[in-house]
Amino acid sequence: MRIVFVGPPGAGKGTQSQRLVERLAIAHLSTGDMLREARQKQTKVGRLAEEYMAAGKLVPDELVLALVGERITSPDCARGVLFDGFPRNVKQAEELDAMLAERRMAIDMALELAVDDEEVIRRLAGRGRPDDEPRVVAERLKTYWGQTRPLLDYYRGRGILETVRGDGTIDQVFARVLKAVDKRAGRGGARGSE
Ligand code: AP5
Ligand code: MG
């Protein structure tokens, strides 16, 4: 199964992804994690991405798409992938569809994790990642509403969008996530295998 996880910063995408990839035995592809690793290793991509991440803006599409293009060819992605924080705009979504189509694959489900801005601000206030300072969180939220939210219409139009509330405990949210995945799998999105 190939799932796209969409939600504002701090919605809990990373937290829920860890559990979901274990449950479904699929690969976890987080562009945020990949970019942070590149930044830490000071690769060319990492150095180029740095200023955008620090400002809460999207890293240029071509950099992100190059990272993803390389990653999805690795064997662990053959059984399925949970895309966490990617795509981040409609252009990236179109490119992802094209990359998958070349391999006769497609996205089975887009999972929206809905959390309001106040909760995002509260959750990120105490975490301490370099981009969690209030000014950058405000910019990340702005980026989300302006550039990432339109993806929901993109996937809704294909009839593959499921929305899950991201408030409550991590266990409560995970139960909702599993319910949404089961619902979608029941409609023909192959679960686990493929
Ligand atoms: P990325 O790493 O993707 O960050 P993000 O989506 O903005 O936000 P987070 O990862 O902080 O949130 P999350 O939803 O994963 O929540 P988490 O589980 O961590 O992107 C970072 C930057 O990289 C971007 O700004 C951009 O510059 C760049 N980038 C990445 N992908 C890109 C792309 N495709 N294109 C261009 N640029 C890209 O949880 C957050 C906190 O809340 C944690 O402390 C957690 O413990 C807590 N928490 C989780 N669930 C709950 C709960 N139910 N109740 C209470 N607390 C909870
Ligand atoms: Mg994350």
Side-chain angles (χ1 to χ4, degrees):
M1 194 171 198
R2 278 163 294 272
I3 304 173
V4 161
F5 220 159
V6 186
K13 302 182 297 296
T15 305
Q16 297 297 329
S17 289
Q18 278 177 10
R19 294 178 167 215
L20 191 56
V21 297
E22 202 174 299
R23 180 66 70 101
L24 299 179
I26 59 177
H28 181 202
L29 192 159
S30 158
T31 45
D33 288 349
M34 290 161 85
L35 288 165
R36 276 184 289 279
E37 194 188 328
R39 187 180 60 187
Q40 204 216 335
K41 289 185 177 156
Q42 285 288 297
T43 63
K44 194 176 164 207
V45 169
R47 284 196 303 271
L48 289 167
E50 211 158 13
E51 62 173 296
Y52 297 94
M53 297 173 80
K57 298 198 185 303
L58 293 186
V59 171
D61 292 336
E62 55 275 20
L63 295 182
V64 174
L65 289 164
L67 283 179
V68 172
E70 200 177 307
R71 176 79 170 85
I72 63 169
T73 59
S74 64
D76 68 312
C77 289
R79 294 189 63 187
V81 183
L82 178 57
F83 294 93
D84 164 6
F86 174 86
R88 235 15 187 246
N89 58 26
V90 172
K91 160 92 171 142
Q92 291 182 9
E94 288 168 352
E95 293 286 338
L96 175 61
D97 283 345
M99 272 188 238
L100 292 174
E102 269 177 32
R103 298 180 169 73
R104 296 176 192 282
M105 292 173 177
I107 296 295
D108 301 297
M109 167 182 196
L111 191 56
E112 178 197 7
L113 199 53
V115 169
D116 62 37
D117 287 8
E118 289 71 30
E119 177 69 8
V120 164
I121 291 163
R122 217 161 47 82
R123 286 185 188 176
L124 297 183
R127 184 172 62 169
R129 217 167 73 184
D131 57 348
D132 286 341
E133 87 176 67
R135 189 182 46 83
V136 185
V137 169
E139 194 59 37
R140 285 161 66 197
L141 277 167
K142 206 169 121 194
T143 304
Y144 177 74
W145 284 98
Q147 298 185 57
T148 307
R149 286 275 309 179
L151 276 184
L152 300 179
D153 285 336
Y154 181 87
Y155 290 118
R156 190 179 290 115
R158 292 174 182 220
I160 60 167
L161 179 70
E162 297 287 343
T163 297
V164 160
R165 273 176 33 221
D167 61 322
T169 67
I170 291 169
D171 285 343
Q172 284 169 336
V173 178
F174 188 56
R176 291 179 203 134
V177 165
L178 282 184
K179 204 170 150 195
V181 169
D182 279 342
K183 182 175 155 199
R184 177 57 43 186
R187 285 202 201 139
R191 177 158 171 192
S193 61
E194 202 208 351

